Amino acid sequence: MTDIAVTLADKRGTLPPEDKLGFGKIFTDHMFVMDYATGKGWHNARIVPYGQIEISPAAMVLHYGQAIFEGMKAFRTADNRIVVYRPLDHLNRFNHSADILSIPQMDVNVLHDGLKKLIEIDKEWVPKSLGTSLYIRPFVISTDPFVGVKVADQYTVFIILSPVGAYYASGFKPVAIKVEEHFVRAVKGGLGEAKTPANYAASLKAAEVAKKEGYTQVLWLDALEQKYIEEVGTMNIFFKIDNEIITPALNGSILNGITRRSVLAVAKDWGMKVSERRISIEEVYEAHEQGRLQEVFGSGTAAVISPVGELSWKGRKITINNNEIGETSQKLFDYITDIQQGRVADKFGWTGEMAKL
Ligand SMILES: *Cc1c(COP(=O)(O)O)cnc(C)c1O
C-alpha cells in the first residue's frame, strides 16, 4: 500500500434523499490530492477534507488549459460491497491523456490505492437505489504561477466524489441528435483522444445551438471532410445495420471510451458481428433509406447506453426504430448495469472491490 496521509473532516455531511441527487452538484466529505514538481516527481499523496483550494491567479491552467480528467463510477452491490467499474482501465487512460497534454505520468497503483482509501472513508456516500452511483472525478491541473507559455513544472492531481442520481430518472428513452455540419470538435493530430477540458470548451457553442433547436447533443463528423462519423462528445456512437454492430474505429481524434470497449466485448461474446471501421453519415442515411438501419445508440459512463431515436443531418430528419428503444440497446444496458451493480456474475472481471459495508 502507498503511504497516504489522512486528515479527517471534523464534521461529516449526509447523503441527501436519493431521488434528489441529480448529477455533479453534491460532493463527499473528503478528497485525494497529490502534487508534482519537476525534480521531485509526484509526492505528498494525501486525503484531506473536501473544500476550497487556493491557486495563484497566474496558475498556468487558468491561462493555457493544461489539464485532464477522468470519469468513472462506484456502485453499492446487493451484497453490500462497493465496487468501481473498470478502475484500472480508467486510470490507465488518465495517464494516456496526461501524455497527450505533456503532463507527467502518474503511478497508477498510487492513484488506485488513493481512490480505494478515499472510498473506504466516504463509503456512506455511495447511494443504493437502482441506477444511482458514486461518480468519481480524478483531474490534474497545472499550477505554476507563470503567464508565459510552456509545459508546466508544477501540477496537482485531485480525486473528488459525487453521489449521482439515476441518469434515466424519467425513464430510459431515445434522444434526438443533430449531426453537426458547421462546427468541429477535434482533428487528427490534435487532442481528440485525450479527456481534457479543451475538447469540451470546443464543443459548447455547437451544443448550445443544437439545444435551442431541440436536440440533446450533437454527433460530430470528422474535422477535415465532415463526412465520417466520430462520436457524440460525451459518448461514443454505435450503429446496428443488418444485425452488425458498427462503431467508428479509433483514429486519434475520438475518445477511446471504456463503455465502448465494454459494448464491443459483450456484443462479441453474444456472437454478434462487430466492426470498428470508418463509417460515413451518408452510409447511415442510405442504410436507413433501405430499411437496414435497425438501431443507433451512444455509450458512456454517465448514461451507459443512450438509444438515439432521431438524427438530423443537413435538415434531413430520420426516425430510428420508430423512436423506440432497440432490442440490442436495451439488452446491453441491462447486462452492463447488471454487471456494475453485481446482479450477474462479472465474467469479464470488470468490477474492482473498493470497500465492504
Ligand atoms: C468520457 C468520454 C466518452 C465516454 O467514455 P467512457 O469511458 O465510456 O465514459 C466519450 N467521448 C468523450 C469525448 C469523452 O470525454
Side-chain angles (χ1 to χ4, degrees), residues 90 93 185 195 200 231 233-235 255 257-259 300-301:
H90 279 279
R93 186 176 64 188
R185 172 186 172 270
K195 228 171 160 67
Y200 284 81
E231 60 159 299
T234 56
M235 292 193 292
L255 198 85
I258 309 290
T259 321
T301 294

Side-chain angles (χ1 to χ4, degrees), residues 28-105:
T28 68
D29 295 318
H30 299 88
M31 60 185 177
F32 171 85
V33 187
M34 180 166 67
D35 301 311
Y36 178 91
T38 299
K40 209 167 167 187
W42 287 102
H43 62 279
N44 196 12
R46 58 202 186 272
I47 287 169
V48 295
Y50 179 89
Q52 303 290 99
I53 56 167
E54 197 165 276
I55 52 171
S56 163
M60 290 185 69
V61 67
L62 301 175
H63 304 271
Y64 308 115
Q66 195 187 2
I68 52 166
F69 66 94
E70 261 305 320
M72 56 183 139
K73 281 177 171 177
F75 301 90
R76 192 186 281 243
T77 62
D79 58 350
N80 280 326
R81 292 174 307 124
I82 292 172
V83 298
V84 173
Y85 189 63
R86 306 190 71 165
L88 289 170
D89 292 316
H90 279 279
L91 293 174
N92 284 319
R93 186 176 64 188
F94 197 34
N95 259 341
H96 182 60
S97 298
D99 181 49
I100 294 172
L101 271 289
S102 286
I103 290 171
Q105 291 290 292

Side-chain angles (χ1 to χ4, degrees), residues 73-77 79 81-90 112 258 262 335-355:
K73 281 177 171 177
F75 301 90
R76 192 186 281 243
T77 62
D79 58 350
R81 292 174 307 124
I82 292 172
V83 298
V84 173
Y85 189 63
R86 306 190 71 165
L88 289 170
D89 292 316
H90 279 279
H112 189 265
I258 309 290
S262 300
Y335 186 61
I336 295 172
T337 53
D338 281 350
I339 290 178
Q340 290 176 329
Q341 292 161 45
R343 288 185 295 268
V344 296
D346 175 16
K347 67 184 235 185
F348 298 95
W350 283 336
T351 52
E353 187 171 309
M354 295 284 162

